[in-house]
Amino acid sequence: TTESYTRAQYCRWPCECPRSPPRCAVGVSLVTDGCACCKTCAKQRGESCTEADTCDFHRGLYCDYSGDRPRYEIGVCAQIVGVGCVLNGVRYKNGETFQPNCKYNCTCINGAVGCVPMCTNSRPPLVWCPNPKLIKIAGKCCEQWICDDSRKIRKTSPRHISSAAYEGEDEAWQKNCIVHTSPWSPCSKTCGLGISTRISNDNEQCRLLKESRLCNMRPCEVDITQHIKPGKKCLAVYRADEPMNFTISGCVSKSPYRPKYCGVCKDNRCCTPYKSKTIEVRFQCPDGTEFSWKIMWINACFCNLNCRNPNDIFADLAHYHDYSEIAN
């Protein structure tokens, strides 16, 4: 007598998928489920699988139903018997993950070796560095860029700033979320009040959001060239003598400030911020209402030949040693 049973249905149509795909662990493939409906994290070796929960085929896995006779509903992800790999005289099994050295993480897939670089954040020093060098640092796997001081450095180079302080995009782990914050974009105006933006997911939902702040590179109504010292061609930083209040659409900051501005040059160089921070300013309007705005606070500027239009979307494609300003 054949035992009767009801086969479970793991796929249901129409598809009902979450608004955003799941975040898979490092090394786990994001694939379309067996129902051809939703994105899902592929099951790994030894995990249970069904017609909906598929195994990670990128790692050479398949769903083995042989242990679930006669239903064949729930299987176990197993390794497809395939060709192994040989790298530097060492043999690796099909599907095996290994690190031939500290710089790469590799996987053997049916005779082919695919590697992911572990050193990804190394970038050259600032544009003012005359002789950048990539060196090996004791106790660290990845080489790092330094500025070789054996040659004379331009007098306009910022001093007392360690090269380690110049980080690009900020990235860290936070509650199973890789926190990613891009550098602030250049101010939308070269003088007067403008807008600077960045993208960050440093929030409770780990969602990439656009952040904005006000910026004022230099006042339009002041002729800064008159403040350049005799015999000099540039003034890196300009600061007004008296404190002033910020004004937005008739609303005035509750406290006075004495901000720094980037200066100007009489030659072909331009002055841009290389160190700044973001402050919160409280404004009060004539009707009694109040609001806060983030404002860029310039700490130091650097005069250099890297002059670009703030609205040039192709500016980052230029081939030169450049770096984002130090900012927060």
Side-chain angles (χ1 to χ4, degrees), residues 10-22 30-41 52:
Y10 294 95
C11 291
R12 297 185 183 278
W13 295 275
C15 301
E16 294 182 1
C17 303
R19 186 169 296 179
S20 56
L30 180 66
V31 298
T32 303
D33 62 20
C35 309
C37 279
C38 310
K39 292 293 184 181
T40 183
C41 297

Side-chain angles (χ1 to χ4, degrees), residues 126 128-129 153-162 166 274 300-303:
L126 287 170
W128 46 261
C129 178
I153 299 177
R154 287 170 52 181
K155 292 182 179 180
T156 52
S157 300
R159 294 180 296 276
H160 314 301
I161 302 294
S162 67
Y166 289 90
Y274 83 89
C301 299
F302 169 54
C303 299

Side-chain angles (χ1 to χ4, degrees), residues 17-57:
C17 303
R19 186 169 296 179
S20 56
R23 297 177 62 87
C24 303
V26 177
V28 176
S29 302
L30 180 66
V31 298
T32 303
D33 62 20
C35 309
C37 279
C38 310
K39 292 293 184 181
T40 183
C41 297
K43 297 298 181 180
Q44 300 302 299
R45 187 173 183 175
E47 294 183 336
S48 298
C49 50
T50 64
E51 63 178 352
D53 296 327
T54 56
C55 299
D56 198 337
F57 58 87

Side-chain angles (χ1 to χ4, degrees), residues 120-263:
T120 57
N121 294 326
S122 181
R123 296 175 62 182
L126 287 170
V127 65
W128 46 261
C129 178
N131 191 26
K133 277 189 175 180
L134 193 62
I135 66 166
K136 174 70 176 175
I137 297 179
K140 293 188 177 181
C141 171
C142 304
E143 289 91 350
Q144 292 187 6
W145 286 97
I146 65 163
C147 189
D148 187 1
D149 294 333
S150 60
R151 300 181 183 180
K152 186 178 179 181
I153 299 177
R154 287 170 52 181
K155 292 182 179 180
T156 52
S157 300
R159 294 180 296 276
H160 314 301
I161 302 294
S162 67
S163 60
Y166 289 90
E167 296 294 340
E169 299 178 352
D170 183 28
E171 190 173 278
W173 282 97
Q174 174 179 303
K175 296 180 181 177
N176 295 326
C177 167
I178 300 180
V179 178
H180 172 87
T181 302
S182 71
W184 287 103
S185 67
C187 192
S188 60
K189 293 186 178 180
T190 56
C191 75
L193 205 60
I195 291 287
S196 178
T197 60
R198 72 178 180 183
I199 302 296
S200 176
N201 66 344
D202 190 3
N203 51 63
E204 290 287 335
Q205 296 78 27
C206 192
R207 293 178 56 190
L208 281 173
L209 300 175
K210 189 176 183 180
E211 299 178 358
S212 301
R213 68 176 180 180
L214 297 173
C215 50
N216 193 337
M217 294 281 289
R218 57 186 61 83
C220 297
E221 65 278 3
V222 178
D223 183 8
I224 301 179
T225 57
Q226 295 182 356
H227 299 276
I228 299 177
K229 293 181 180 180
K232 301 291 184 180
K233 294 183 178 180
C234 290
L235 177 66
V237 176
Y238 167 76
R239 197 173 195 178
D241 296 330
E242 300 294 330
M244 45 82 75
N245 290 78
F246 294 111
T247 303
I248 302 177
S249 302
C251 302
V252 182
S253 62
K254 299 185 70 174
S255 301
Y257 297 86
R258 189 166 170 251
K260 289 180 181 178
Y261 301 99
C262 286

Side-chain angles (χ1 to χ4, degrees), residues 59-76:
R59 289 184 171 272
L61 301 179
Y62 74 102
C63 193
D64 181 7
Y65 292 100
S66 61
D68 190 31
R69 294 187 179 96
R71 299 174 187 271
Y72 300 105
E73 292 178 1
I74 302 176
V76 177

